[in-house]
Amino acid sequence: MEFYIQYFVSNYQGLQKISQMNPIQMVDLKGQYEKIKAEIDEAVINCVASTAYINGAQVKAFQENLENYLQVKNVIPCANGTDALQIPMMAFGLEKGDEVIVPSFTFIATAEVVALLGLTPVMVEIDANTFNVTAEIIEQAITPRTRAIVPVHLFGQSCDMGAIMQVAEKHNLFVIEDNAQAIGADYTFQNGETKKAGTIGHIGTTSFFPSKNLGCYGDGGAIFTDDDKLAEKMRMIANHGQSERYYHSVIGVNSRLDTIQAAILDIKLKHLDEYAAARQKAAAFYDDAFQNIEELQTPVRERNSTHVFHQYTLQVKSGMRPRLQKHLKEGGVPSMIYYPIPLYRQKAFKEFVAPGFRLPVTEKLCDSVLSLPIHTEMTEDLLDYISNRVRVFFNHQ
Ligand SMILES: *Cc1c(COP(=O)(O)O)cnc(C)c1O
């Protein structure tokens, strides 16, 4: 069955049909692929024909191009963004019961790896406007057992890393930036120096999950660091703890980026800045369309970071979100709640959380955030349609 929703915007050109055959998506991976199809197909076929499926030349080439793009000394490709968090935590030599500070409002992976390694995740509040942790929040959670902190650059903009690094230095803590959502964002320090998000802490990590800003066609991830010693250790851990072939110095894991994925990523890396610009343009359109809607708060920008809009996340006035979401759905507009449940309420983390523990900002955000479709292939017509659908709900046509 197929249904059609027709809509009119001010000019007739805006008339579009949206059907189940061609529904609006949160992310349009197909449309993006079509534009680089020739190059991608050739690269994939070359990989298949070469049979160098593991550790082929494309992995090294991509690693070097990413080091160059990020201006970081070491990129260590690995199997996914979760491994990218786990491997550095194994390399730090932490002990059971050591505490790692993580935000309560993030994807599970950030805290999951901490618990998996027998460490203690300490889940903290985030800023009500930027959705990111701050230096002040982190500092309040530090105890004599704290060893590391994992700031997450949520939805596409960097935490205030200058301030966070000062706190980390003062308390002698490791810093892992979870940069799965903000690759390509620029952070500017007080002195005017600019660095890429993910290259400021001791370690940065990212995910190449297909829907991420730099996504491959399967799973993938990477670790970044300027510290050569740590890099060597992490390369060893990612390769079964192997120091030379069949000699294993430490317990490690098997975590590699496939050659095919590296070849795809190397092509997409060349487009990363242009992809970010397309997302920023879509975000600006939404910002403008929603500026007078009292019931909505549009994304607040970090003062010292650019925003690459992995997500465009609104805060919807208390109690209105379910009806708005339903109204959007009826118009063929998908929307998502990132994240509906604070980490400290997840059953899996029960043992780390005192009964009744609540963080008010995190609670409020879990009840009010709503992410709209945002991707690299959005047309004015599509943005017009989606934002009109939102505006009609609030009677702001
Ligand atoms: C996607 C994501 C991860 C995990 O990445 P995978 O590649 O799916 O393992 C970790 N942290 C954050 C914040 C993410 O968004």
PDB file of all heavy atoms in Angstrom, residues 322-338:
ATOM      1  N   PRO A 322       5.042  13.960  23.229  1.00  0.00           N
ATOM      2  CA  PRO A 322       4.373  12.819  22.591  1.00  0.00           C
ATOM      3  C   PRO A 322       3.401  13.245  21.488  1.00  0.00           C
ATOM      4  O   PRO A 322       3.353  12.622  20.435  1.00  0.00           O
ATOM      5  CB  PRO A 322       3.612  12.155  23.753  1.00  0.00           C
ATOM      6  CG  PRO A 322       4.295  12.630  24.994  1.00  0.00           C
ATOM      7  CD  PRO A 322       4.844  13.981  24.697  1.00  0.00           C
ATOM      8  N   ARG A 323       2.673  14.342  21.704  1.00  0.00           N
ATOM      9  CA  ARG A 323       1.713  14.795  20.688  1.00  0.00           C
ATOM     10  C   ARG A 323       2.429  15.358  19.467  1.00  0.00           C
ATOM     11  O   ARG A 323       2.018  15.149  18.331  1.00  0.00           O
ATOM     12  CB  ARG A 323       0.763  15.847  21.277  1.00  0.00           C
ATOM     13  CG  ARG A 323      -0.439  15.208  22.001  1.00  0.00           C
ATOM     14  CD  ARG A 323      -1.372  16.260  22.568  1.00  0.00           C
ATOM     15  NE  ARG A 323      -0.711  17.013  23.645  1.00  0.00           N
ATOM     16  CZ  ARG A 323      -0.753  18.337  23.773  1.00  0.00           C
ATOM     17  NH1 ARG A 323      -1.424  19.081  22.917  1.00  0.00           N
ATOM     18  NH2 ARG A 323      -0.128  18.933  24.778  1.00  0.00           N
ATOM     19  N   LEU A 324       3.516  16.092  19.712  1.00  0.00           N
ATOM     20  CA  LEU A 324       4.285  16.612  18.571  1.00  0.00           C
ATOM     21  C   LEU A 324       4.833  15.461  17.733  1.00  0.00           C
ATOM     22  O   LEU A 324       4.733  15.450  16.503  1.00  0.00           O
ATOM     23  CB  LEU A 324       5.433  17.510  19.065  1.00  0.00           C
ATOM     24  CG  LEU A 324       6.440  17.956  17.994  1.00  0.00           C
ATOM     25  CD1 LEU A 324       5.752  18.766  16.886  1.00  0.00           C
ATOM     26  CD2 LEU A 324       7.576  18.778  18.614  1.00  0.00           C
ATOM     27  N   GLN A 325       5.364  14.468  18.415  1.00  0.00           N
ATOM     28  CA  GLN A 325       5.958  13.336  17.706  1.00  0.00           C
ATOM     29  C   GLN A 325       4.902  12.597  16.873  1.00  0.00           C
ATOM     30  O   GLN A 325       5.152  12.198  15.734  1.00  0.00           O
ATOM     31  CB  GLN A 325       6.626  12.388  18.713  1.00  0.00           C
ATOM     32  CG  GLN A 325       7.824  11.719  18.103  1.00  0.00           C
ATOM     33  CD  GLN A 325       8.635  10.853  19.041  1.00  0.00           C
ATOM     34  OE1 GLN A 325       8.271  10.609  20.195  1.00  0.00           O
ATOM     35  NE2 GLN A 325       9.751  10.367  18.521  1.00  0.00           N
ATOM     36  N   LYS A 326       3.711  12.477  17.433  1.00  0.00           N
ATOM     37  CA  LYS A 326       2.608  11.806  16.730  1.00  0.00           C
ATOM     38  C   LYS A 326       2.193  12.623  15.508  1.00  0.00           C
ATOM     39  O   LYS A 326       1.986  12.088  14.412  1.00  0.00           O
ATOM     40  CB  LYS A 326       1.435  11.642  17.711  1.00  0.00           C
ATOM     41  CG  LYS A 326       0.226  10.930  17.151  1.00  0.00           C
ATOM     42  CD  LYS A 326      -0.704  10.453  18.288  1.00  0.00           C
ATOM     43  CE  LYS A 326      -1.996   9.870  17.749  1.00  0.00           C
ATOM     44  NZ  LYS A 326      -3.003  10.900  17.404  1.00  0.00           N
ATOM     45  N   HIS A 327       2.088  13.935  15.707  1.00  0.00           N
ATOM     46  CA  HIS A 327       1.715  14.836  14.606  1.00  0.00           C
ATOM     47  C   HIS A 327       2.756  14.771  13.475  1.00  0.00           C
ATOM     48  O   HIS A 327       2.403  14.760  12.296  1.00  0.00           O
ATOM     49  CB  HIS A 327       1.595  16.258  15.178  1.00  0.00           C
ATOM     50  CG  HIS A 327       1.482  17.338  14.150  1.00  0.00           C
ATOM     51  ND1 HIS A 327       0.277  17.724  13.594  1.00  0.00           N
ATOM     52  CD2 HIS A 327       2.430  18.125  13.566  1.00  0.00           C
ATOM     53  CE1 HIS A 327       0.493  18.694  12.726  1.00  0.00           C
ATOM     54  NE2 HIS A 327       1.779  18.960  12.698  1.00  0.00           N
ATOM     55  N   LEU A 328       4.000  14.701  13.829  1.00  0.00           N
ATOM     56  CA  LEU A 328       5.061  14.592  12.811  1.00  0.00           C
ATOM     57  C   LEU A 328       4.938  13.266  12.078  1.00  0.00           C
ATOM     58  O   LEU A 328       4.981  13.206  10.848  1.00  0.00           O
ATOM     59  CB  LEU A 328       6.441  14.721  13.458  1.00  0.00           C
ATOM     60  CG  LEU A 328       6.801  16.090  14.025  1.00  0.00           C
ATOM     61  CD1 LEU A 328       8.135  16.033  14.765  1.00  0.00           C
ATOM     62  CD2 LEU A 328       6.860  17.138  12.926  1.00  0.00           C
ATOM     63  N   LYS A 329       4.753  12.216  12.829  1.00  0.00           N
ATOM     64  CA  LYS A 329       4.661  10.873  12.246  1.00  0.00           C
ATOM     65  C   LYS A 329       3.513  10.784  11.255  1.00  0.00           C
ATOM     66  O   LYS A 329       3.647  10.204  10.166  1.00  0.00           O
ATOM     67  CB  LYS A 329       4.493   9.850  13.376  1.00  0.00           C
ATOM     68  CG  LYS A 329       4.701   8.423  12.915  1.00  0.00           C
ATOM     69  CD  LYS A 329       4.672   7.442  14.074  1.00  0.00           C
ATOM     70  CE  LYS A 329       4.736   6.020  13.522  1.00  0.00           C
ATOM     71  NZ  LYS A 329       4.137   5.061  14.452  1.00  0.00           N
ATOM     72  N   GLU A 330       2.384  11.387  11.626  1.00  0.00           N
ATOM     73  CA  GLU A 330       1.217  11.360  10.731  1.00  0.00           C
ATOM     74  C   GLU A 330       1.495  12.113   9.433  1.00  0.00           C
ATOM     75  O   GLU A 330       0.838  11.871   8.427  1.00  0.00           O
ATOM     76  CB  GLU A 330      -0.013  11.946  11.444  1.00  0.00           C
ATOM     77  CG  GLU A 330      -0.583  10.967  12.464  1.00  0.00           C
ATOM     78  CD  GLU A 330      -1.537  11.622  13.476  1.00  0.00           C
ATOM     79  OE1 GLU A 330      -1.802  12.844  13.363  1.00  0.00           O
ATOM     80  OE2 GLU A 330      -1.992  10.905  14.377  1.00  0.00           O
ATOM     81  N   GLY A 331       2.439  13.016   9.482  1.00  0.00           N
ATOM     82  CA  GLY A 331       2.832  13.734   8.266  1.00  0.00           C
ATOM     83  C   GLY A 331       4.025  13.092   7.581  1.00  0.00           C
ATOM     84  O   GLY A 331       4.633  13.687   6.696  1.00  0.00           O
ATOM     85  N   GLY A 332       4.397  11.904   7.993  1.00  0.00           N
ATOM     86  CA  GLY A 332       5.519  11.205   7.353  1.00  0.00           C
ATOM     87  C   GLY A 332       6.882  11.703   7.800  1.00  0.00           C
ATOM     88  O   GLY A 332       7.888  11.435   7.146  1.00  0.00           O
ATOM     89  N   VAL A 333       6.936  12.433   8.928  1.00  0.00           N
ATOM     90  CA  VAL A 333       8.217  12.966   9.414  1.00  0.00           C
ATOM     91  C   VAL A 333       8.699  12.146  10.613  1.00  0.00           C
ATOM     92  O   VAL A 333       8.073  12.159  11.672  1.00  0.00           O
ATOM     93  CB  VAL A 333       8.087  14.452   9.839  1.00  0.00           C
ATOM     94  CG1 VAL A 333       9.406  14.970  10.410  1.00  0.00           C
ATOM     95  CG2 VAL A 333       7.634  15.307   8.660  1.00  0.00           C
ATOM     96  N   PRO A 334       9.819  11.444  10.459  1.00  0.00           N
ATOM     97  CA  PRO A 334      10.344  10.696  11.601  1.00  0.00           C
ATOM     98  C   PRO A 334      11.031  11.641  12.587  1.00  0.00           C
ATOM     99  O   PRO A 334      11.481  12.725  12.216  1.00  0.00           O
ATOM    100  CB  PRO A 334      11.377   9.759  10.969  1.00  0.00           C
ATOM    101  CG  PRO A 334      11.864  10.504   9.763  1.00  0.00           C
ATOM    102  CD  PRO A 334      10.701  11.356   9.282  1.00  0.00           C
ATOM    103  N   SER A 335      11.080  11.234  13.834  1.00  0.00           N
ATOM    104  CA  SER A 335      11.847  11.978  14.845  1.00  0.00           C
ATOM    105  C   SER A 335      12.307  10.944  15.862  1.00  0.00           C
ATOM    106  O   SER A 335      11.737   9.868  15.942  1.00  0.00           O
ATOM    107  CB  SER A 335      10.966  13.041  15.505  1.00  0.00           C
ATOM    108  OG  SER A 335       9.860  12.437  16.140  1.00  0.00           O
ATOM    109  N   MET A 336      13.356  11.276  16.597  1.00  0.00           N
ATOM    110  CA  MET A 336      13.915  10.299  17.538  1.00  0.00           C
ATOM    111  C   MET A 336      14.198  10.959  18.877  1.00  0.00           C
ATOM    112  O   MET A 336      14.497  12.146  18.938  1.00  0.00           O
ATOM    113  CB  MET A 336      15.237   9.728  17.010  1.00  0.00           C
ATOM    114  CG  MET A 336      15.106   8.880  15.750  1.00  0.00           C
ATOM    115  SD  MET A 336      14.261   7.317  16.024  1.00  0.00           S
ATOM    116  CE  MET A 336      15.546   6.403  16.833  1.00  0.00           C
ATOM    117  N   ILE A 337      14.134  10.136  19.927  1.00  0.00           N
ATOM    118  CA  ILE A 337      14.493  10.627  21.255  1.00  0.00           C
ATOM    119  C   ILE A 337      15.875  10.094  21.621  1.00  0.00           C
ATOM    120  O   ILE A 337      16.039   8.914  21.908  1.00  0.00           O
ATOM    121  CB  ILE A 337      13.439  10.209  22.308  1.00  0.00           C
ATOM    122  CG1 ILE A 337      12.087  10.822  21.939  1.00  0.00           C
ATOM    123  CG2 ILE A 337      13.884  10.639  23.705  1.00  0.00           C
ATOM    124  CD1 ILE A 337      10.924  10.280  22.749  1.00  0.00           C
ATOM    125  N   TYR A 338      16.860  10.967  21.557  1.00  0.00           N
ATOM    126  CA  TYR A 338      18.216  10.644  22.025  1.00  0.00           C
ATOM    127  C   TYR A 338      18.464  11.497  23.254  1.00  0.00           C
ATOM    128  O   TYR A 338      18.600  12.704  23.098  1.00  0.00           O
ATOM    129  CB  TYR A 338      19.276  10.964  20.984  1.00  0.00           C
ATOM    130  CG  TYR A 338      19.105  10.264  19.667  1.00  0.00           C
ATOM    131  CD1 TYR A 338      18.885  10.990  18.509  1.00  0.00           C
ATOM    132  CD2 TYR A 338      19.164   8.872  19.585  1.00  0.00           C
ATOM    133  CE1 TYR A 338      18.747  10.354  17.287  1.00  0.00           C
ATOM    134  CE2 TYR A 338      19.018   8.240  18.367  1.00  0.00           C
ATOM    135  CZ  TYR A 338      18.816   8.977  17.221  1.00  0.00           C
ATOM    136  OH  TYR A 338      18.668   8.346  16.010  1.00  0.00           O
TER     137      TYR A 338
END
